[in-house]
Amino acid sequence: MASASPDQCNHQNPSLIQRLLGVWQPKFPVFEQRRLAGAPPSELEIPSDSDILPIPEDIIVQNDESSIELVPETEAATWLTTRVRSTEDIMMSRIPAWGVEGVTTCIFPKIVALRWPSIVYEPIGKAETGCLRVKNIRKKCKGCVAAYAVPRGEPVARERALLVMPRTCLSPRRLVNAATKIMTPNQRAAFFALHNCNSADPNDALSIISTNSFLIPGVPGHDVLYSGVFETLSRLNHRCRIFASFRGACPGTNKRGAVSCCPNAMFRWDRGTFSGEIRALRPISAGEEVTISYFQGIMKPSAVTHERQKFLLKCYNFKCACPVCRRPSEERDRSDEERSIISTSVTNIGTYYREIVEDWIIDEGNDRARLPNDLHAIEEALDQEMIFYPTYWIHLARAMVIVRCALREAKAARKWADRAAQHTRAVTGSDGGWDAIAKEPEKCEWWGLWDKSRLQGHDE
C-alpha cells in the first residue's frame, strides 16, 4: 500500500489551528443572505411564554466593571484638582466605622465622604480568609496556597482591605503616611510587612501600595478607579497597579517564576460588603498555590509571549516560568498563533451567538453535529492554552447550552449551564440565572428548535 503524502495526512488529521481557522469562516449562507438583503437577522420563532427560561444575555466582565460606568482617569484627575486644594479637602474614614480590628482605612475626597450612603457593613470573619495559607513558594518569595480544595467559581477567600484610596491622587505620599498613622498597631504592622519592589526603605508606604494594590472599580458615590491593599490577599502573586502620580514603572522584584500567565483564580471587588474576594477560575486542589493574572485589565488573554514577558521584565524584573511561557520556541509560536485565533473565535461567539446558532438551525444543509463540533474545538483550544479567562468560558458555555437545548440533549445542556453558572459566579458572585436552566433545561427558550425548524420546513 502506498504511503499517504504529508498533504493527505494534514487533510485527514487537521491541526488544532486548521480546525480553528475553519470554525468561523463564512459558511452561514442563510445568515449572509439575510444580512445582504438587509433583513432582520432572526427567522426563528423563539417561545416567549411566562414559563420559558430565557438565556442570560448580559455577560458581566471582570470585576463587574461593565455594570459600573467609571469616570476616565484624565477626568478623575481634573475633578480632583478642582475639588481637592489642600489636605482639608481630604477625609480619612474607617469602614465599618464602629470597628476596631478588621476595618479599612480609607482616603476619600471630603465631598465623597460626606455623601457616603448609609450602609451597614458586616464584619469579615477570619474563617473567610481561612483557605489561604501564606508561605514561601519555592524558597524565593511569599505566596498563598489553598488549605483545602475549592470548586470552580467558588470563593477562595474574602477580606476587608487595610487601605483604600483613589488611584489618581494628589500629594499621595503625605496622605498615605497620614493614613498609616491612624491604623491600629496590628494593621500597621501587617501593612509594612508586605513586599516592596520599588524601594529598599521598609517604611516607604507609597512603594508598598504600588507593589501590592488591587484595582477597585469605584466606591459608592465615586465611580473612579481606586486601589486597595490587603493583609492576606496582597500576598498572592498578582499584577501591579500604578497610581497616576507615581513616577516610573515597577523596577526590581525577586518574585521570579512565581507569577502565572495561566492563573487559577481572580480578584473581584464586592461593593455590597466593601471587601475584596478571590474566586477560583478552575478547581483548586488543597496545597496548590493560588495565583491571579498580572495582566487582568492590562493585556488581553491573546497577548503573545514576548508581550507578556516584556511587561513582566519591565514592571517586575523577572521572566515568567509558567507552563505556557516555558514551552519550547516552536510550541510557543504555535501557542501565540492559537491564542489570537481563539480570542477572535470566542469574541464572535459572544457577539453573534444568536445569528450563528439560528443559521445552523435554519439552513437544512447543515449537519446537526457541525456546530457542536466547532464549539468543542474552541473548548479544546482553551484547555490546551490553559486560558481560564471567565468571560471567554461564559461565551462558550452559553452557546453550548443553546445548541444542546436545541438538540434536546438535556444532560449536556445541564453540564454546560453548570459551567456557565460557575464562571459567572467567579466574576459576579452569583449564578446569573444559569442554575435555573441547569435544573430544567427543557424550559429553555431554545429547547427542541432544531427539530421544530425542520418540521416547519417540511410543512411549507
Side-chain angles (χ1 to χ4, degrees):
M1 181 182 294
S3 60
S5 68
D7 290 340
Q8 288 175 320
C9 291
N10 289 338
H11 178 72
Q12 293 171 358
N13 299 294
S15 67
L16 185 55
I17 287 182
Q18 291 172 325
R19 291 171 60 194
L20 290 176
L21 285 172
V23 167
W24 303 115
Q25 292 298 318
K27 53 184 179 184
F28 311 115
V30 175
F31 171 54
E32 281 296 302
Q33 290 169 14
R34 292 200 307 270
R35 184 182 65 79
L36 293 173
S42 176
E43 291 183 2
L44 280 178
E45 293 185 8
I46 297 179
S48 58
D49 300 341
S50 58
D51 291 338
I52 297 297
L53 295 175
I55 287 289
E57 295 286 345
D58 296 327
I59 305 298
I60 308 290
V61 298
Q62 182 182 344
N63 289 335
D64 285 341
E65 293 176 15
S66 69
S67 62
I68 301 168
E69 187 174 348
L70 294 175
V71 176
E73 288 194 65
T74 52
E75 293 183 26
T78 301
W79 187 92
L80 281 167
T81 57
T82 57
R83 290 168 175 79
V84 180
R85 299 285 185 176
S86 66
T87 54
E88 294 181 356
D89 297 322
I90 292 291
M91 180 176 290
M92 303 289 179
S93 303
R94 294 168 66 83
I95 295 177
W98 47 265
V100 179
E101 296 292 346
V103 301
T104 300
T105 299
C106 303
I107 300 175
F108 295 126
K110 184 174 290 186
I111 189 173
V112 173
L114 292 177
R115 65 188 184 196
W116 190 274
S118 179
I119 301 174
V120 178
Y121 294 108
E122 298 296 328
I124 303 298
K126 289 185 177 181
E128 296 190 72
T129 58
C131 181
L132 290 179
R133 298 284 186 269
V134 178
K135 61 179 296 185
N136 289 325
I137 305 296
R138 292 180 290 277
K139 300 182 180 180
K140 293 184 179 180
C141 68
K142 288 188 180 296
C144 294
V145 299
Y148 48 83
V150 182
R152 180 191 296 111
E154 295 305 308
V156 179
R158 179 193 297 275
E159 185 180 11
R160 190 153 283 136
L162 295 169
L163 176 68
V164 165
M165 65 181 292
R167 182 170 182 252
T168 301
C169 193
L170 300 176
S171 303
R173 191 173 299 278
R174 180 187 302 176
L175 295 174
V176 168
N177 289 339
T180 57
K181 288 179 181 178
I182 67 172
M183 291 180 178
T184 66
N186 290 340
Q187 289 177 317
R188 191 158 52 249
F191 178 88
F192 284 105
L194 293 171
H195 181 71
N196 183 347
C197 77
N198 286 331
S199 171
D201 180 2
N203 296 316
D204 189 344
L206 202 58
S207 292
I208 289 175
I209 293 173
S210 69
T211 303
N212 297 281
S213 61
F214 286 87
L215 182 65
I216 294 173
V219 298
H222 200 203
D223 290 333
V224 303
L225 296 175
Y226 273 69
S227 287
V229 178
F230 299 79
E231 178 177 355
T232 302
L233 302 190
S234 289
R235 293 291 187 181
L236 290 163
N237 295 308
H238 71 96
R239 71 185 187 273
C240 179
R241 305 296 285 183
I242 309 170
F243 286 87
S245 301
F246 290 3
R247 296 182 181 274
C250 304
T253 177
N254 293 321
K255 294 190 174 186
R256 295 183 179 275
V259 73
S260 177
C261 291
C262 44
N264 57 17
M266 67 174 289
F267 172 85
R268 65 175 296 269
W269 176 253
D270 186 359
R271 281 193 177 196
T273 60
F274 205 77
S275 65
E277 188 176 61
I278 299 295
R279 283 185 173 259
L281 294 180
R282 62 167 175 78
I284 299 176
S285 304
E288 181 181 355
E289 183 183 5
V290 179
T291 60
I292 63 174
S293 175
Y294 283 55
F295 311 124
Q296 290 174 355
I298 300 174
M299 288 185 181
K300 296 180 179 179
S302 59
V304 298
T305 304
H306 77 86
E307 291 176 344
R308 303 194 305 267
Q309 298 287 18
K310 181 180 178 181
F311 172 83
L312 294 171
L313 284 169
K314 178 181 178 181
C315 291
Y316 294 94
N317 194 29
F318 74 87
K319 186 176 181 179
C320 181
C322 77
V324 173
C325 289
R326 65 171 179 251
R327 290 168 171 167
S329 58
E330 290 185 3
E331 291 186 25
R332 286 201 306 270
D333 292 342
R334 187 200 68 210
S335 170
D336 291 340
E337 184 178 359
E338 287 184 3
R339 280 177 172 249
S340 177
I341 297 170
I342 291 168
S343 179
T344 300
S345 299
V346 182
T347 300
N348 285 339
I349 292 173
T351 305
Y352 304 113
Y353 76 95
R354 283 190 176 270
E355 290 87 345
I356 289 169
V357 177
E358 288 171 2
D359 179 75
W360 166 70
I361 293 174
I362 293 171
D363 185 357
E364 293 195 3
N366 282 325
D367 182 84
R368 64 183 284 135
R370 183 187 63 76
L371 187 53
N373 288 341
D374 284 351
L375 295 175
H376 279 302
I378 302 297
E379 177 192 7
E380 182 182 343
L382 288 171
D383 280 334
Q384 178 175 294
E385 286 303 308
M386 291 178 278
I387 298 176
F388 305 117
Y389 185 56
T391 303
Y392 280 13
W393 281 96
I394 295 170
H395 287 326
L396 175 62
R398 180 172 61 182
M400 282 286 202
V401 169
I402 293 172
V403 167
R404 297 305 179 182
C405 284
L407 295 174
R408 298 179 187 267
E409 297 175 357
K411 183 177 179 180
R414 289 190 187 97
K415 167 193 168 182
W416 282 102
D418 280 334
R419 284 294 296 268
Q422 292 165 359
H423 290 291
T424 304
R425 271 193 288 269
V427 179
T428 68
S430 66
D431 70 277
W434 288 108
D435 282 345
I437 293 177
K439 184 178 180 181
E440 298 180 287
E442 298 85 356
K443 289 187 176 182
C444 175
E445 58 183 333
W446 293 81
W447 186 259
L449 287 186
W450 174 270
D451 291 331
K452 291 178 182 178
S453 175
R454 274 145 182 75
L455 288 174
Q456 290 173 359
H458 290 310
D459 289 343
E460 293 174 0

Coordinates of all heavy atoms in Angstrom, one line a residue, residues 45-90:
E45 N -38.8 31.5 15.4 CA -39.8 31.9 16.4 C -39.5 31.3 17.7 O -39.7 30.1 18.0 CB -41.2 31.4 16.0 CG -41.7 32.1 14.7 CD -43.1 31.7 14.4 OE1 -43.8 31.0 15.2 OE2 -43.6 32.0 13.3
I46 N -38.9 32.1 18.6 CA -38.4 31.6 19.9 C -39.6 31.8 20.9 O -40.1 33.0 21.0 CB -37.2 32.3 20.4 CG1 -36.0 32.0 19.4 CG2 -36.8 31.9 21.8 CD1 -34.7 32.6 19.7
P47 N -40.0 30.8 21.6 CA -41.2 31.0 22.6 C -40.9 32.1 23.6 O -39.8 32.4 24.0 CB -41.2 29.6 23.3 CG -40.5 28.7 22.3 CD -39.5 29.5 21.7
S48 N -42.0 32.8 23.9 CA -41.9 33.9 24.9 C -42.9 33.7 26.1 O -43.3 34.6 26.7 CB -42.1 35.2 24.2 OG -43.4 35.2 23.6
D49 N -43.4 32.4 26.3 CA -44.3 32.2 27.4 C -43.7 32.5 28.7 O -42.5 32.5 28.9 CB -44.7 30.7 27.4 CG -45.4 30.3 26.1 OD1 -45.9 31.3 25.4 OD2 -45.5 29.1 25.8
S50 N -44.5 32.7 29.7 CA -44.0 33.0 31.1 C -43.2 31.9 31.7 O -42.4 32.1 32.6 CB -45.2 33.4 32.0 OG -46.1 32.4 32.1
D51 N -43.5 30.7 31.3 CA -42.8 29.5 31.9 C -41.5 29.2 31.2 O -40.7 28.4 31.7 CB -43.7 28.3 31.8 CG -44.9 28.3 32.7 OD1 -44.9 29.1 33.7 OD2 -45.9 27.6 32.4
I52 N -41.2 29.9 30.1 CA -40.0 29.7 29.4 C -38.8 30.4 30.1 O -38.9 31.6 30.5 CB -40.1 30.2 27.9 CG1 -41.2 29.4 27.2 CG2 -38.8 30.1 27.2 CD1 -40.9 27.9 27.1
L53 N -37.7 29.7 30.1 CA -36.5 30.3 30.7 C -35.6 31.0 29.6 O -35.1 30.3 28.8 CB -35.7 29.3 31.5 CG -36.3 28.6 32.7 CD1 -35.5 27.5 33.2 CD2 -36.6 29.7 33.8
P54 N -35.4 32.3 29.7 CA -34.6 32.9 28.7 C -33.1 32.7 29.0 O -32.7 32.5 30.1 CB -34.9 34.4 28.8 CG -35.3 34.6 30.2 CD -36.0 33.3 30.6
I55 N -32.3 32.7 27.9 CA -30.9 32.6 28.1 C -30.3 33.9 28.7 O -30.7 35.0 28.1 CB -30.2 32.3 26.7 CG1 -30.5 30.8 26.4 CG2 -28.7 32.5 26.8 CD1 -29.8 29.8 27.2
P56 N -29.5 33.9 29.7 CA -29.0 35.1 30.2 C -28.2 35.8 29.1 O -27.3 35.2 28.5 CB -28.0 34.7 31.4 CG -28.7 33.4 31.8 CD -29.2 32.7 30.6
E57 N -28.5 37.1 28.9 CA -27.8 37.9 27.9 C -26.6 38.6 28.3 O -25.6 38.7 27.6 CB -28.8 38.9 27.3 CG -30.0 38.2 26.6 CD -29.7 37.6 25.3 OE1 -28.6 37.9 24.7 OE2 -30.5 36.8 24.7
D58 N -26.7 39.2 29.5 CA -25.6 40.1 29.9 C -24.4 39.3 30.5 O -24.6 38.6 31.5 CB -26.1 41.1 31.0 CG -27.2 42.1 30.4 OD1 -27.1 42.4 29.2 OD2 -28.1 42.4 31.1
I59 N -23.3 39.4 29.9 CA -22.1 38.8 30.4 C -21.3 39.9 31.1 O -20.7 40.8 30.5 CB -21.2 38.2 29.3 CG1 -22.1 37.2 28.5 CG2 -20.0 37.5 29.9 CD1 -22.6 36.0 29.2
I60 N -21.2 39.8 32.5 CA -20.5 40.8 33.2 C -19.0 40.5 33.1 O -18.6 39.4 33.5 CB -21.0 40.8 34.7 CG1 -22.5 40.9 34.8 CG2 -20.3 41.9 35.5 CD1 -23.1 42.2 34.5
V61 N -18.3 41.5 32.7 CA -16.8 41.3 32.6 C -16.1 41.4 34.0 O -16.7 41.7 35.0 CB -16.2 42.3 31.6 CG1 -16.7 42.1 30.2 CG2 -16.3 43.7 32.1
Q62 N -14.9 41.1 33.9 CA -14.1 41.0 35.1 C -14.3 42.2 36.0 O -14.3 43.3 35.6 CB -12.6 40.9 34.7 CG -11.6 40.8 35.9 CD -10.2 40.7 35.3 OE1 -10.0 40.5 34.2 NE2 -9.3 40.9 36.2
N63 N -14.4 41.9 37.3 CA -14.5 42.9 38.4 C -15.8 43.7 38.3 O -15.9 44.8 38.9 CB -13.3 43.9 38.4 CG -12.0 43.2 38.8 OD1 -12.1 42.3 39.6 ND2 -10.9 43.8 38.4
D64 N -16.8 43.2 37.6 CA -18.1 43.9 37.5 C -18.0 45.3 36.9 O -18.8 46.1 37.0 CB -18.7 44.1 38.9 CG -19.3 42.8 39.4 OD1 -19.6 41.8 38.6 OD2 -19.5 42.7 40.6
E65 N -16.9 45.5 36.1 CA -16.6 46.9 35.6 C -17.7 47.3 34.6 O -17.9 48.4 34.4 CB -15.2 46.9 35.0 CG -14.2 46.8 36.1 CD -12.8 46.8 35.5 OE1 -12.6 47.2 34.3 OE2 -11.8 46.5 36.2
S66 N -18.3 46.3 33.9 CA -19.3 46.7 32.9 C -20.6 47.2 33.5 O -21.3 47.9 32.8 CB -19.6 45.4 32.0 OG -20.3 44.5 32.7
S67 N -20.8 46.9 34.7 CA -22.1 47.3 35.4 C -21.9 48.7 36.0 O -22.8 49.2 36.6 CB -22.5 46.3 36.4 OG -21.6 46.1 37.4
I68 N -20.6 49.2 36.0 CA -20.3 50.5 36.6 C -19.7 51.4 35.6 O -18.7 51.0 35.0 CB -19.4 50.3 37.8 CG1 -20.0 49.3 38.9 CG2 -19.0 51.6 38.5 CD1 -19.0 48.9 39.9
E69 N -20.3 52.5 35.4 CA -19.7 53.5 34.4 C -18.6 54.3 35.1 O -18.9 55.3 35.8 CB -20.8 54.4 33.8 CG -20.3 55.3 32.7 CD -21.5 56.0 32.1 OE1 -22.6 55.7 32.4 OE2 -21.2 57.0 31.3
L70 N -17.4 53.9 34.9 CA -16.3 54.6 35.6 C -15.9 55.9 34.9 O -15.9 56.0 33.6 CB -15.1 53.7 35.7 CG -15.2 52.4 36.5 CD1 -14.0 51.5 36.4 CD2 -15.5 52.8 38.0
V71 N -15.5 56.9 35.7 CA -15.0 58.1 35.1 C -13.6 57.9 34.6 O -12.8 57.3 35.3 CB -15.0 59.2 36.2 CG1 -14.4 60.5 35.6 CG2 -16.4 59.5 36.7
P72 N -13.2 58.3 33.4 CA -11.9 58.1 32.9 C -10.9 58.8 33.8 O -11.2 59.8 34.5 CB -11.9 58.8 31.5 CG -13.3 58.7 31.1 CD -14.1 58.9 32.4
E73 N -9.6 58.2 33.9 CA -8.6 58.7 34.8 C -8.3 60.2 34.5 O -8.0 61.0 35.5 CB -7.4 57.9 34.7 CG -7.6 56.5 35.4 CD -6.3 55.8 35.6 OE1 -5.4 56.3 36.4 OE2 -6.0 54.8 34.9
T74 N -8.3 60.6 33.3 CA -8.0 62.0 33.0 C -9.1 63.0 33.6 O -8.7 64.0 34.2 CB -7.9 62.3 31.5 OG1 -9.1 61.8 30.8 CG2 -6.7 61.6 30.9
E75 N -10.3 62.5 33.5 CA -11.4 63.3 34.0 C -11.4 63.3 35.6 O -11.7 64.2 36.2 CB -12.8 62.8 33.5 CG -13.0 63.1 32.1 CD -14.4 62.7 31.6 OE1 -15.3 62.6 32.4 OE2 -14.5 62.3 30.4
A76 N -11.0 62.1 36.1 CA -10.9 61.9 37.6 C -9.8 62.9 38.1 O -10.0 63.5 39.2 CB -10.6 60.5 37.9
A77 N -8.7 63.0 37.4 CA -7.6 63.9 37.8 C -8.1 65.3 37.8 O -7.8 66.1 38.7 CB -6.4 63.6 36.9
T78 N -8.8 65.7 36.7 CA -9.3 67.1 36.6 C -10.3 67.3 37.8 O -10.3 68.4 38.4 CB -10.0 67.3 35.3 OG1 -9.1 67.0 34.2 CG2 -10.5 68.7 35.2
W79 N -11.1 66.4 38.0 CA -12.1 66.5 39.1 C -11.4 66.7 40.5 O -11.8 67.6 41.3 CB -13.0 65.3 39.2 CG -14.1 65.3 40.2 CD1 -15.4 65.7 39.9 CD2 -14.1 65.0 41.6 NE1 -16.2 65.7 41.0 CE2 -15.4 65.2 42.1 CE3 -13.1 64.5 42.4 CZ2 -15.7 65.0 43.4 CZ3 -13.5 64.3 43.7 CH2 -14.7 64.5 44.2
L80 N -10.3 66.0 40.7 CA -9.6 66.1 42.0 C -8.9 67.5 42.1 O -8.9 68.1 43.1 CB -8.5 65.0 42.1 CG -9.1 63.6 42.5 CD1 -8.0 62.5 42.3 CD2 -9.5 63.6 44.0
T81 N -8.3 67.9 41.0 CA -7.6 69.2 41.1 C -8.5 70.4 41.3 O -8.1 71.4 41.9 CB -6.8 69.5 39.7 OG1 -7.7 69.4 38.6 CG2 -5.8 68.4 39.5
T82 N -9.8 70.3 40.9 CA -10.7 71.4 41.1 C -11.4 71.3 42.5 O -11.9 72.3 43.0 CB -11.8 71.4 40.0 OG1 -12.5 70.1 40.0 CG2 -11.2 71.6 38.7
R83 N -11.4 70.1 43.1 CA -12.2 69.9 44.4 C -11.3 69.6 45.5 O -11.7 69.7 46.7 CB -13.2 68.8 44.2 CG -14.4 69.2 43.3 CD -15.3 68.1 43.0 NE -16.4 68.5 42.3 CZ -16.4 68.7 40.9 NH1 -15.3 68.6 40.3 NH2 -17.5 69.1 40.3
V84 N -10.0 69.2 45.3 CA -9.1 68.9 46.4 C -7.9 69.9 46.3 O -7.0 69.7 45.5 CB -8.6 67.5 46.3 CG1 -7.6 67.2 47.4 CG2 -9.8 66.5 46.3
R85 N -8.0 71.0 47.0 CA -7.0 72.0 47.0 C -5.9 71.8 48.1 O -4.8 72.3 48.0 CB -7.6 73.4 47.2 CG -8.7 73.7 46.1 CD -8.0 74.1 44.8 NE -8.9 74.5 43.8 CZ -8.6 75.0 42.6 NH1 -7.3 75.0 42.2 NH2 -9.5 75.3 41.7
S86 N -6.3 71.2 49.2 CA -5.4 71.0 50.3 C -5.8 69.8 51.1 O -6.8 69.1 50.8 CB -5.4 72.2 51.2 OG -6.7 72.4 51.9
T87 N -5.1 69.5 52.1 CA -5.4 68.3 52.9 C -6.7 68.5 53.6 O -7.3 67.5 54.1 CB -4.3 68.0 54.0 OG1 -4.1 69.2 54.7 CG2 -3.0 67.6 53.3
E88 N -7.2 69.7 53.8 CA -8.5 69.9 54.4 C -9.6 69.4 53.5 O -10.8 69.2 54.0 CB -8.7 71.4 54.7 CG -7.8 72.0 55.7 CD -8.0 73.5 56.0 OE1 -8.9 74.0 55.3 OE2 -7.4 74.0 56.8
D89 N -9.4 69.2 52.2 CA -10.4 68.7 51.3 C -10.4 67.1 51.3 O -11.1 66.6 50.5 CB -10.2 69.2 49.9 CG -10.3 70.7 49.9 OD1 -11.2 71.3 50.6 OD2 -9.6 71.4 49.2
I90 N -9.5 66.5 52.1 CA -9.5 65.1 52.2 C -9.9 64.6 53.5 O -9.7 65.2 54.6 CB -8.0 64.6 52.0 CG1 -7.5 64.9 50.5 CG2 -7.8 63.1 52.3 CD1 -8.2 64.1 49.5

